[in-house]
Amino acid sequence: MKRKVEAFDYAGLICKALSKGVLLTTRSGDRVNTMTIGWGKIGIEWGKPVFIAYVRESRYTKQLLEGSGEFTVNVPLTDDHREILGYCGTRSGRDTDKIRDKGLTIVDSDVVSAPGIVQFPLTLECRVIYRQEQDICQMPQDVIDRFYPPFGEKKAPDMHTAFYGEIVNAYLIEQD
């Protein structure tokens, strides 16, 4: 059962949870994938409620997000999900089904195609309204050194794209 909520009533909880990790879930066609994110923002952009998620170029989630233009943000209400967050932050959906592997229970969303996750009951349904690739030339050197070291065969930094998702629905998944 889902209980509709006002996303901004939970903004503080969402921001605190981000420091430990929340899940970002996508669906494109028949593929559902979830990944741990630790960076994000909730706020108002162009008069709309938004969640901004940062996804690295190399991530499978980015490919799915570009295919669907929709995602959910799945926030835990307790601190006992470290193992799930660790797993979903270190495995690629290209190689494994993280939802199956960790026994996560998905529920259909009301507005977007990406599902909610029962074990992470605070759910924001988001539709991408803007995306912006991060520009390394505009970043301070200490940020580049810490977060964007040379990566892969080309030894280029693995940059983020900011996905601005209009929050089109928010709810708590309540178990019977």
Side-chain angles (χ1 to χ4, degrees), residues 39 54-59 62 132-139 143-144 147-149 151 156-162:
W39 295 1
Y54 300 87
V55 181
R56 288 192 187 270
E57 297 296 316
S58 64
R59 301 295 190 245
K62 182 173 187 284
Q132 177 67 51
E133 292 179 11
Q134 301 293 280
D135 181 356
I136 199 166
C137 296
Q138 301 298 319
M139 295 179 181
V143 170
I144 295 167
F147 296 106
Y148 300 103
F151 174 80
D158 189 16
M159 301 302 295
H160 288 91
T161 296

Side-chain angles (χ1 to χ4, degrees), residues 113-161:
S113 63
I117 297 177
V118 170
Q119 293 85 351
F120 290 69
L122 176 56
T123 304
L124 306 179
E125 295 185 25
C126 301
R127 188 168 288 129
V128 175
I129 57 173
Y130 180 72
R131 69 193 72 185
Q132 177 67 51
E133 292 179 11
Q134 301 293 280
D135 181 356
I136 199 166
C137 296
Q138 301 298 319
M139 295 179 181
Q141 191 61 48
D142 66 314
V143 170
I144 295 167
D145 293 344
R146 183 169 179 200
F147 296 106
Y148 300 103
F151 174 80
E153 293 176 11
K154 295 182 182 178
K155 300 296 182 201
D158 189 16
M159 301 302 295
H160 288 91
T161 296

Side-chain angles (χ1 to χ4, degrees), residues 6-105:
E6 171 56 50
F8 291 114
D9 289 346
Y10 292 86
L13 185 144
I14 293 166
C15 291
K16 285 180 184 175
L18 274 165
S19 68
K20 296 175 185 170
V22 303
L23 295 178
L24 182 138
T25 305
T26 57
R27 173 179 282 164
S28 185
D30 62 349
R31 290 295 310 225
V32 175
N33 186 57
T34 194
M35 69 175 274
T36 302
I37 61 170
W39 295 1
K41 298 179 187 180
I42 186 169
I44 303 291
E45 191 79 36
W46 306 298
K48 298 177 183 215
V50 295
F51 185 90
I52 304 170
Y54 300 87
V55 181
R56 288 192 187 270
E57 297 296 316
S58 64
R59 301 295 190 245
Y60 181 60
T61 296
K62 182 173 187 284
Q63 177 184 336
L64 293 180
L65 249 175
E66 289 178 337
S68 71
E70 299 176 338
F71 62 93
T72 56
V73 177
N74 318 109
V75 182
L77 298 180
T78 61
D79 288 334
D80 58 350
H81 296 292
R82 279 183 37 195
E83 198 271 328
I84 292 170
L85 291 165
Y87 188 86
C88 292
T90 58
R91 305 295 192 294
S92 173
R94 286 184 189 97
D95 305 323
T96 191
D97 181 341
K98 294 180 270 185
I99 292 168
R100 181 197 65 223
D101 294 350
K102 299 316 298 172
L104 299 175
T105 306

